[in-house]
C-alpha cells in the first residue's frame, strides 16, 4: 500500500505533460517522514522534560524552546486535570495570537474544539487516561485566530499523577494538518482514478519488474496482480515483434524519459493484443530513475475497425479488389507522375454477365465475379493494378508500357485466362471479357477522359463480337454516342412496328429438298435506317428487350408458318433463334408450349437455335430446358457450333438434334486445311452422336461439294438463297428444283 500511494501520485502525474512525476510524490512522502520523526522526537522530549516544560509553559519564559517549536511547526500543549486548565504554545494562531495560551478546560472545549469533534477528543482522552490506549491521539478542528477552523493532530501522554495515583497532567504536541489532509485527499482521489481507469496502469522498477498494477491492467492482460508482481514486464512480449523492438523501446525510454507508441503484447491466454502504451520514468529526489509507469490500452479492436474501415473505403468487399474510388485514386497518382510515364488502362466488362446473373441467381453471379477477379489478378499480378469498378466492370493498370504489343500481350493473356470455364457452385460456366484499352497520355490526359475512352473502346470490343480487346481510337467516341442513340431507338422498335422477319431456306443434301427455313430478325429504324442484327441483337440482349423481341419472333414465325400452310406450302421446319436471356426465363418452355398449341402446329415443326454460350452459361438449367422442349416435340440445334467452348462429348448429354457448323469454318473450306479438317471432324463426331449437321453460310458450289463429300446433312447460305421476306420465300420454295448431282447418294424423301 505504501508503494501504491507513491505510485499513484506518480501515475496521476503521467497524465500531465511529460515531466517526471517525482516532485509531488516525494513531497508527500518526505512530509510523512518528517512528521513521523518529529512526532517521535516530540513525545520523547515531552516525556523527558515534562516537569520542566510545565514550568516553562507557565512562565512562558524559555524563548529558545519557543523558537525551536516555532521552527518545527509544532505546538506544545498541556492539560492539567487538577486545575482543569489547558495550556498551549504554538506558532499557529489557534484561538488567539501565536504564542502561549492558557484557558479553562470548559472554555477550551467550547471555544477551541469544533463541536462535531468534541466527543471524539473526549473519547481519546478517556481511553488514554483509563489505560485503554497507550497514547492520547486526536485529530480535530480547532478554531484559529481569524475564526476559521484548522485541522490539527494532537498527541500526548499522561506524565504526572497525584499522590493517590490519579491522573494529573497530560502533555504533548500538536500540529496543523490541513496541508497533509489535502494531500491525503488528493492521493485518495488519485488512487480512485487509477482504480477506475479504463487504461491499464503498471509500475515497474528499474529492472522492469512489476511492482503494482491497476484492475484494468489485470483485465487487459488476463493476469491477476499477484501473478504479475515481481515478474519481468517482458513476460507480456509478443512474438509479433522481434525482441529488438522491445530493446529499442527501452533504449528510447532511457534516452528521453518517456516512450509512447503501439506495441503487440501477449495476454495470459496466449492471444496477442495491440497495446497503445505510454511509458514514463519516475525519478527520486536525487533525480535518478526509480520506477517506470506505463499507461496502456488495448486497441486491437479499434485497429481492426480502422482496418476494416480503410478496407471498406478502398476495396470491394465481394472480390477483395480495389474499388472504384481506390482505382481512381491510384490512377490519379499515376497521372500525376507526368506524361513521361505511359499508363495503359484496361477496362474489362464480362460478356453476357447479366444473363448469367439472371439465370443462375445472384449468389452464383457473385461467385462468378469473385472468380473472374481471381483470374484477372493472377494475370496482372499486383493487387494494386487491378480493380472492380462495380457490376461486372473491372480494370487493370499497366505502368511504364512503351510498346503497344506489351499491352496487347497482357490483354491477350487476360482473354486466354478466361478461355476455360469457371466452376460456379458446381456449374461450369463459360464467360469471356471484352476489353477496352486507353493509354495515357495519348488517349486522354485526365483521369475521366482516360476512363471514358477505355469504356468506349470496351463497347467497341463488344460490338466486334466480344471476347476480344480494342484500343481506343478517336472515332470510338462517336461510336459510344451512336450506341446510345441506337439503344433509345431500339426501345421503341416493337411499338413502332419496325421489326420484321426474313426467312432463309435450308437444303437437305439427303433429299435434295428444302427442309426448312430460319427466321431472322430485321430492324428498319425510322430514324436510323436498316440496322443489322449483329448490331442490335447484342443491345437487345443487354437491355433485356430481347425477351419481348424473341416472343414476338416466335409468334410471328409460327403465324407465318400457318399462313404458308394455308397457301399450300409443303410442311417444313421453321427455325427460330433464341438467346440466352430468353432461355433463362423460367416460363420460356411454357411460352413455347402455349404458342405451339395456340397455332395448332404439327409436332416437329418448330426448331430452336441456341448458341453454345446459351448452353454453357448454365448447363444444368439449359439441359433441363432442352429436354422439356424436346418433350414438346420441338427440335433443338446448336448454332454457330465450333466458336464456343462446348465439346461434342458435352453435347452427348444434351438431347439435341443438330449442330450448325459456324460460317467461319465453312469460309475456310477450299483454302484452309485446318478448317476442312475441323469441319469433317465435326461431321464425323456429330454423326457418331446421332446428331444431324447443318453447314451455314455456304456461298460457293465448291464449299457445297466438299460438305456433300463429308456427309453433311443440310446446308444453308447465299449459294442456296439469301434471307427473304415471306412472299419471296414462299415462291422460292414452291419453285425450287434441286440440281440432281448435289443430292447425296441414298437420299430419302
Ligand atoms: P445466325 O443465327 O447464325 O444466322 C445466320 C446469319 O448468317 C444471318 O445473319 C444470315 O443472314 C447470315 N448468312 C446466312 N447465309 C449466309 C451466307 O452465305 N453468307 C453470309 N455472309 N452470311 C450468311 P443475320 O440475319 O445478320 O443474323 C445475325 C445473327 O443475329 C444470327 O446469326 C443470330 O444469331 C442473330 N439473330 C437474328 N435473328 C434473331 C432472332 O430473331 N433472335 C435472336 N435471338 N437472334 C437473332
Ligand atoms: Mg441461327
Ligand atoms: Mg449461325
Amino acid at each position: 500500500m505504501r508503494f501504491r500511494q507513491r505510485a499513484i501520485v506518480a501515475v496521476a502525474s503521467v497524465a500531465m505533460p511529460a515531466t517526471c512525476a517525482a516532485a509531488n510524490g516525494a513531497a508527500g512522502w518526505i512530509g510523512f517522514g518528517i512528521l513521523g520523526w518529529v512526532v517521535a522526537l516530540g513525545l520523547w522530549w515531552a516525556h523527558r522534560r515534562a516537569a520542566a516544560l510545565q514550568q516553562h509553559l507557565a512562565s512562558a519564559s524559555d524563548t529558545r524552546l519557543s523558537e525551536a517549536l516555532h521552527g518545527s511547526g509544532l505546538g506544545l500543549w498541556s492539560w492539567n486535570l487538577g486545575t482543569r486548565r489547558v495550556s498551549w504554545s504554538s506558532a499557529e494562531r489557534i484561538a488567539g495570537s501565536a504564542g502561549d495560551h492558557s484557558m479553562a478546560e470548559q472554555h477550551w472545549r467550547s471555544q477551541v474544539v469544533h463541536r462535531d469533534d468534541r466527543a471524539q477528543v473526549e473519547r481519546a482522552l478517556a481511553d488514554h487516561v483509563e489505560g485503554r490506549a497507550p497514547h492520547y491521539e486526536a485529530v480535530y478542528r480547532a478554531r484559529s485566530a481569524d475564526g476559521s477552523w484548522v485541522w490539527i493532530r494532537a498527541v500526548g501522554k499522561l506524565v504526572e499523577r497525584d499522590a493517590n495515583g490519579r491522573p494529573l497532567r497530560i502533555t504533548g504536541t500538536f500540529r496543523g494538518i490541513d496541508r497533509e489532509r489535502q494531500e491525503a485527499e488528493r492521493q485518495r482521489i488519485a488512487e480512485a482514478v487509477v482504480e477506475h481507469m479504463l487504461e491499464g496502469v503498471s509500475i515497474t522498477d528499474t529492472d522492469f519488474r512489476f511492482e503494482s498494477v491497476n484492475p484494468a491492467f489485470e483485465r487487459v492482460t488476463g493476469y491477476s496482480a499477484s501473478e504479475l508482481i515481481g515478474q519481468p514486464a517482458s513476460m507480456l512480449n509478443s512474438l509479433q515483434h522481434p525482441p529488438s523492438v522491445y530493446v529499442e523501446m527501452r533504449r528510447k525510454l532511457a534516452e528521453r524519459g518517456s516512450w509512447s507508441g503501439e506495441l503487440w503484447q501477449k495476454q495470459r491466454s496466449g492471444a496477442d493484443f495491440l497495446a497503445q502504451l505510454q511509458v514514463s520514468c519516475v525519478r527520486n529526489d536525487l533525480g535518478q530513475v526509480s520506477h517506470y509507469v506505463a499507461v496502456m490500452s488495448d486497441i486491437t479492436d479499434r485497429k481492426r475497425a480502422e482496418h476494416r474501415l480503410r478496407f471498406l473505403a478502398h476495396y470491394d468487399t465481394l472480390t477483395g479488389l480495389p474499388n472504384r474510388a481506390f482505382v481512381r485514386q491510384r490512377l490519379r497518382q499515376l497521372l500525376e507522375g507526368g506524361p513521361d510515364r505511359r499508363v495503359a488502362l484496361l477496362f474489362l466488362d464480362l460478356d453476357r454477365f447479366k444473363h448469367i446473373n439472371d439465370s443462375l441467381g445472384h449468389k452464383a453471379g457473385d461467385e462468378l465475379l469473385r472468380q473472374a477477379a481471381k483470374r484477372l489478378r493472377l494475370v496482372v499480378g499486383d493487387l494494386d493494378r487491378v480493380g472492380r469498378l462495380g457490376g461486372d466492370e473491372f480494370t487493370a493498370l499497366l505502368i511504364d508500357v512503351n510498346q503497344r504489343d506489351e499491352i496487347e500481350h497482357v490483354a491477350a493473356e487476360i482473354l486466354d485466362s478466361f478461355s476455360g470455364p469457371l466452376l460456379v457452385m458446381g456449374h461450369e460456366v463459360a464467360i469471356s471479357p471484352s476489353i477496352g484499352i486507353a493509354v495515357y497520355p495519348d488517349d486522354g490526359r485526365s483521369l475521366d477522359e482516360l476512363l471514358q475512352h477505355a469504356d468506349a473502346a470496351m463497347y467497341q470490343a463488344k460490338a466486334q463480337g466480344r471476347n476480344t480487346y480494342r484500343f481506343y481510337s478517336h472515332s470510338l467516341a462517336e461510336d459510344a454516342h451512336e450506341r446510345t442513340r441506337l439503344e433509345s431507338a431500339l426501345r421503341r422498335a416493337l411499338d413502332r412496328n419496325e421489326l420484321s422477319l426474313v426467312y432463309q431456306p435450308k437444303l437437305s443434301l439427303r433429299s435434295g429438298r428444302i427442309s426448312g427455313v430460319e427466321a431472322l430478325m430485321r430492324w428498319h429504324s425510322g430514324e436510323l435506317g436498316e440496322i443489322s442484327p449483329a448490331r442490335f441483337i447484342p443491345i437487345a440482349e443487354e437491355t433485356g428487350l430481347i425477351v419481348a423481341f424473341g416472343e414476338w419472333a416466335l409468334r410471328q414465325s409460327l403465324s407465318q408458318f400457318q399462313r404458308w400452310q394455308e397457301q399450300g406450302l409443303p410442311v417444313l421446319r421453321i427455325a427460330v433463334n433464341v438467346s440466352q436471356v430468353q432461355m433463362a426465363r423460367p416460363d420460356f418452355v411454357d411460352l413455347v408450349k402455349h404458342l405451339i398449341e395456340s397455332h395448332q402446329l404439327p409436332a416437329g415443326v418448330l426448331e430452336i437455335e441456341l448458341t453454345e454460350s446459351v448452353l454453357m452459361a448454365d448447363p444444368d438449367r439449359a439441359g433441363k430446358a432442352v429436354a422439356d422442349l424436346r418433350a414438346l416435340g420441338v427440335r433443338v440445334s446448336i448454332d454457330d457450333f465450333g466458336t464456343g467452348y462446348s465439346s461434342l462429348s458435352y453435347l452427348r448429354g444434351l438431347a439435341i438434334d443438330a449442330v450448325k457448323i459456324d460460317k467461319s469454318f465453312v469460309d475456310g473450306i477450299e483454302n484452309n486445311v485446318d478448317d476442312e479438317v475441323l469441319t469433317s471432324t465435326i461431321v464425323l463426331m456429330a454423326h457418331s452422336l446421332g446428331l444431324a449437321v447443318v453447314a451455314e453460310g455456304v456461298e460457293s458450289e465448291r464449299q457445297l461439294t466438299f460438305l456433300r463429300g463429308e456427309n453433311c446433312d443440310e446446308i444453308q447460305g447465299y449459294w442456296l438463297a439469301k434471307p427473304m421476306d415471306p412472299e419471296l420465300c414462299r415462291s422460292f420454295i414452291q419453285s425450287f428444283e434441286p440440281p440432281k448431282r448435289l443430292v447425296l447418294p441414298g437420299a430419302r424423301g
Side-chain angles (χ1 to χ4, degrees), residues 124-390:
L125 189 69
D127 281 351
H128 178 49
V129 169
E130 289 161 23
R132 287 188 297 276
H135 296 104
Y136 161 80
E137 180 170 359
V139 172
Y140 59 93
R141 279 159 287 184
R143 195 189 297 278
S144 72
D146 62 9
S148 67
W149 295 102
V150 291
W151 280 96
I152 62 166
R153 171 183 275 113
V155 290
K157 205 171 165 72
L158 188 63
V159 292
E160 199 177 338
R161 292 179 186 272
D162 65 9
N164 302 321
R166 279 197 300 265
L168 192 60
R169 198 156 50 81
I170 301 170
T171 190
T173 61
F174 69 93
R175 86 180 257 130
I177 56 165
D178 273 350
R179 283 236 321 269
E180 282 150 35
R181 280 182 63 88
Q182 277 161 14
E183 183 68 13
E185 184 72 7
R186 252 184 52 142
Q187 288 188 4
R188 250 197 320 280
I189 291 167
E191 187 176 349
V193 167
V194 173
E195 286 284 311
H196 296 103
M197 255 166 91
L198 291 176
E199 286 91 359
V201 177
S202 68
I203 319 290
T204 60
D205 62 17
T206 47
D207 292 330
F208 292 96
R209 284 180 182 278
F210 289 113
E211 284 201 1
S212 167
V213 297
N214 74 343
F217 194 89
E218 297 175 305
R219 254 194 325 272
V220 171
T221 61
Y223 287 103
S224 68
S226 58
E227 287 172 312
L228 288 166
I229 290 174
Q231 298 300 316
S234 61
M235 71 188 276
L236 302 179
N237 286 5
S238 151
L239 290 175
Q240 301 248 10
H241 301 294
S244 60
V245 167
Y246 299 97
V247 173
E248 180 60 16
M249 170 213 149
R250 288 181 185 184
R251 194 187 62 75
K252 285 204 174 115
L253 179 61
E255 191 181 291
R256 299 175 191 162
S258 69
W259 182 90
S260 67
E262 292 168 6
L263 210 60
W264 281 99
Q265 299 273 268
K266 195 175 68 209
Q267 288 173 334
R268 191 178 197 274
S269 66
D272 287 317
F273 67 99
L274 187 62
Q276 166 80 54
L277 266 175
Q278 173 160 18
V279 191
S280 305
C281 68
V282 181
R283 291 181 195 278
N284 63 18
D285 36 12
L286 299 175
Q288 298 153 334
V289 174
S290 63
H291 292 90
Y292 295 104
V293 52
V295 182
M296 171 179 87
S297 37
D298 179 355
I299 58 165
T300 322
D301 290 344
R302 198 183 79 201
K303 262 279 132 91
R304 263 195 211 123
E306 272 173 27
H307 263 115
R308 180 99 192 114
L309 223 70
R310 208 172 309 139
F311 182 84
L312 287 177
H314 289 114
Y315 292 88
D316 163 46
T317 41
L318 179 68
T319 61
L321 296 190
N323 63 12
R324 174 181 288 270
F326 198 30
V327 167
R328 288 179 66 91
Q329 183 184 326
R330 180 94 186 91
L331 195 54
R332 191 176 295 118
Q333 276 168 0
L334 286 170
L335 301 196
E336 275 163 9
D340 295 341
R341 201 155 198 216
R342 288 167 67 84
V343 179
L345 169 66
L346 276 62
F347 195 110
L348 281 83
D349 187 287
L350 299 181
D351 299 331
R352 301 193 170 93
F353 170 73
K354 195 177 163 304
H355 318 321
I356 294 175
N357 207 32
D358 291 346
S359 57
L360 290 188
H362 289 277
K363 246 173 136 176
D366 284 354
E367 179 57 27
L368 190 128
L369 289 172
R370 263 195 292 269
Q371 296 213 26
K374 220 186 264 171
R375 290 202 176 179
L376 178 61
R377 205 188 148 183
L378 225 63
V379 175
V380 179
D382 197 344
L383 179 62
D384 263 19
R385 307 267 164 98
V386 288
R388 176 175 175 230
L389 297 186

Side-chain angles (χ1 to χ4, degrees), residues 79-86 103-106 109 125 168:
W79 191 338
N80 193 316
L81 300 167
T83 61
R84 298 255 151 219
R85 279 190 86 78
V86 177
M103 67 168 60
E105 183 190 303
Q106 77 207 65
R109 238 186 227 118
L125 189 69
L168 192 60

Side-chain angles (χ1 to χ4, degrees), residues 506 518-520 575-578 609-611 637 639-640 660 696 716:
K506 295 178 191 176
E518 177 179 5
L520 293 160
V576 180
N577 294 284
V578 167
E609 292 191 12
L610 304 169
T611 58
S637 57
D639 208 348
D640 306 342
K660 293 181 78 179
E696 59 180 8
Q716 185 184 2

Side-chain angles (χ1 to χ4, degrees), residues 30 88 177 331 384 418 496 609 618 655 717:
I30 292 163
W88 69 93
I177 56 165
L331 195 54
D384 263 19
F418 280 87
R496 292 184 176 184
E609 292 191 12
D618 182 358

